[in-house]
Amino acid sequence: WNKWQLGSSDGERVWPKMFPFCGGVFQSPIDFHNDILQYDSTLLPIELEGYNVSPTEEFILTNNGHSVRMSLSQSMRIRSLPSHYSAAQLHLHWGNRNKQEGSEHTIGGRHFAAELHIVHYNSDKYRDVNSAMDKSDGLAVLAILIETGTFNPSFEKIFSHFRNVKYKDQEAFIPGFNVQDLLPDRLDEYYRYEGSLTTPPCYPSVLWTVFRKPVQISEEQLLALESTLYCTQPSDPAPLEMVNNYRRVQEFDERLVSVSFRQ
Ligand SMILES: NS(=O)(=O)c1c(F)c(F)c(S(=O)(=O)CCO)c(N[C@H]2CCCc3ccccc32)c1F
Ligand SMILES: [Zn+2]
């Protein structure tokens, strides 16, 4: 049963029946709009270490049926948070070629074309992401909003392998590269709030950092993301395109989002 498969809207509507946290508190994603933003001068620029991975190392790209994810090396860490967080994997969310608005977080009610998530776990306290993912201080996800514009050679290092992971459970090996090149150049401007996984089991265990500045990929690159991958296995008689794998924005009552920048 593929949670994304049951249509985008009704699929999410049944999540709480099977995954109670999905109907709980601190759910992600959310919309960032002015009356919930609060400037916080203590928010430091994000500092990364070990992100420049040598090409002699390999990342594994996997189609897991609802996203395409790339394993990362645990030597990749976020330094500027209260604890050290080590990288586990990155993955993407996107829409479809007729509605190229597949970001999870929105700004002023506006979707971006897609969104990259780099998932880290608290390596000071937990030995791996699976033991960290249901702890309130377990995970930290860096979110990068993606819009169309100029061709992006760094994203192409991942996208050029999509034809080898078209179907569920297929894998491909990607030589290491500087993963920081996937991020915007302003790591000092971001939205920060405590939220959840945007996929079942929706644990409220994620410290979200969403960078203010989007990155660009070309229209052709976005089309490749929207029209290459399938949720189904190669042999499946009813192939299902992997599209619209973003969760709708959640209610964010009585809470504020900290921002590291003044308007
Ligand atoms: N948007 S999100 O909340 O960041 C988010 C997803 F949307 C999402 F689909 C996944 S997934 O694995 O199910 C498919 C892509 O990897 C994850 N994985 C995390 C949390 C669940 C368990 C786990 C185990 C090892 C490494 C990463 C993760 C995820 F964090
Ligand atoms: Zn995600």
Side-chain angles (χ1 to χ4, degrees), residues 5 18 22-23 55 65 93 104 112 172 204 222:
Q5 232 162 327
M18 309 197 43
C22 296
H93 301 269
E104 295 212 304
F112 288 77
L222 181 61

Side-chain angles (χ1 to χ4, degrees):
W1 172 70
N2 177 314
K3 54 186 166 301
W4 301 110
Q5 232 162 327
L6 294 174
S8 33
S9 50
D10 57 341
E12 296 172 26
R13 246 192 281 282
V14 301
W15 286 1
K17 290 190 180 59
M18 309 197 43
F19 306 97
F21 284 106
C22 296
V25 294
F26 288 43
Q27 290 299 288
S28 297
I30 59 172
D31 176 55
F32 299 128
H33 48 277
N34 281 339
D35 47 10
I36 58 155
L37 304 183
Q38 180 176 57
Y39 173 64
D40 178 346
S41 61
T42 68
L43 291 178
L44 301 171
I46 295 299
E47 274 179 57
L48 306 170
E49 66 183 27
Y51 261 55
N52 191 355
V53 178
S54 149
T56 56
E57 282 197 50
E58 279 180 337
F59 297 129
I60 302 174
L61 189 67
T62 309
N63 175 332
N64 69 4
H66 47 259
S67 179
V68 59
R69 74 166 183 235
M70 188 171 87
S71 66
L72 296 171
S73 31
Q74 292 192 356
S75 54
M76 293 171 56
R77 301 201 313 181
I78 303 175
R79 273 215 332 226
S80 45
L81 291 176
S83 303
H84 284 113
Y85 284 81
S86 296
Q89 48 104 291
L90 61 76
H91 62 271
L92 294 125
H93 301 269
W94 60 90
N96 66 77
R97 78 198 81 164
N98 302 317
K99 192 162 192 298
Q100 298 187 315
E101 299 172 350
S103 69
E104 295 212 304
H105 291 91
T106 55
I107 299 181
R110 178 185 164 228
H111 274 273
F112 288 77
E115 190 166 329
L116 170 70
H117 289 159
I118 309 179
V119 182
H120 302 72
Y121 68 95
N122 185 334
S123 42
D124 285 352
K125 290 185 71 176
Y126 310 106
R127 69 184 188 300
D128 63 21
V129 61
N130 287 300
S131 44
M133 70 188 210
D134 61 345
K135 313 295 191 295
S136 60
D137 59 354
L139 301 180
V141 179
L142 300 181
I144 294 96
L145 298 165
I146 299 171
E147 64 184 11
T148 47
T150 52
F151 176 80
N152 191 315
S154 302
F155 275 84
E156 195 59 20
K157 294 183 178 184
I158 300 171
F159 289 17
S160 59
H161 296 268
F162 281 167
R163 65 181 68 88
N164 303 325
V165 291
K166 280 179 79 70
Y167 301 102
K168 187 175 187 308
D169 301 332
Q170 290 184 331
E171 293 189 343
F173 293 97
I174 298 185
F177 63 94
N178 189 352
V179 177
Q180 184 156 346
D181 293 342
L182 300 174
L183 276 67
D185 50 12
R186 293 298 300 267
L187 302 186
D188 59 323
E189 296 198 339
Y190 54 85
Y191 302 86
R192 163 67 50 74
Y193 75 101
E194 291 181 349
S196 74
L197 296 177
T198 67
T199 180
C202 307
Y203 294 131
S205 61
V206 180
L207 184 65
W208 282 96
T209 299
V210 182
F211 292 106
R212 180 191 198 183
K213 191 173 177 191
V215 299
Q216 292 190 347
I217 62 175
S218 67
E219 182 59 41
E220 293 75 17
Q221 287 179 300
L222 181 61
L223 276 170
L225 178 61
E226 292 161 340
S227 46
T228 306
L229 303 168
Y230 285 84
C231 304
T232 40
Q233 312 246 348
S235 52
D236 198 312
L240 249 170
E241 286 187 319
M242 189 183 289
V243 290
N244 306 321
N245 61 353
Y246 62 93
R247 190 185 192 185
R248 271 49 181 175
V249 292
Q250 305 295 304
E251 290 309 309
F252 192 69
D253 308 317
E254 323 294 318
R255 292 179 58 205
L256 292 179
V257 169
S258 300
V259 291
S260 66
F261 54 91
R262 291 190 182 284
Q263 289 318 320

